[in-house]
Each structure stands twice: as C-alpha cells, then as structure tokens.
Amino acid sequence: TPTIISRDEVIVIDSGNNTLAKAGSGDLLAGVIAAHGAIGLCAPQAVSRSQCLIAASASIAAKQMGKDGIIASDIISNLGAVSNLTKD
C-alpha cells in the first residue's frame, strides 16, 4: 500500500492492483508526479493525485486487456479517461 508521509500528514492510498507491477510503471508514475509538480502542486498532493490517477488508469487497462497483458503504454493510453478524477 503506497503511503505518503509529509511533515504535516500521512496519506495512505489503497487503490491499485498488481497490474502496476510492470516494467515502466514506476517511470510512468514519476512522470505524472513531475507533471503535477510542474503545475504547482506541493509534493504530497502531486504524489497522491498521481498515484490515484495511475491506479485508476491501470484498472481500466486491466479490464480491457486482462492483468497479465498490460504494459506501461496501456496505462498511459487510459490517463485521459481518468484525468477528471483528480480535479478539484
């Protein structure tokens, strides 16, 4: 379970599944976190939003293709479908 600890809070994110245990998914997560940071989010918020977005995208990919056949680009292709989940 991903856990984010900052000076002021602890965030536990229980979304995601073993679909995320694929080559490139960590790089994908790092890129999405960097993008959220680039638009001005603080680190804990960027990390938590990114993890939720990636987990939701991976779940969609798994439903479309089955968990065993997923690669990072399949997760990327579903980011647009879930991007509204993290808007305020």
Side-chain angles (χ1 to χ4, degrees):
T1 301
T3 304
I4 303 159
I5 302 172
S6 71
R7 186 182 328 216
D8 301 319
E9 62 188 334
V10 175
I11 302 168
V12 177
I13 301 170
D14 63 357
S15 60
N17 55 48
N18 63 355
T19 304
L20 295 169
K22 305 292 181 185
S25 63
D27 297 325
L28 172 59
L29 178 60
V32 175
I33 292 169
H36 278 94
I39 62 170
L41 296 182
C42 64
Q45 190 176 27
V47 171
S48 60
R49 284 181 161 201
S50 298
Q51 173 58 32
C52 291
L53 197 130
I54 295 297
S57 182
S59 292
I60 291 171
K63 287 177 185 173
Q64 292 171 338
M65 304 176 70
K67 290 181 182 179
D68 295 332
I70 300 298
I71 58 175
S73 62
D74 299 322
I75 298 169
I76 292 169
S77 68
N78 288 297
L79 286 175
V82 297
S83 64
N84 289 331
L85 295 176
T86 60
K87 290 187 179 180
D88 290 330

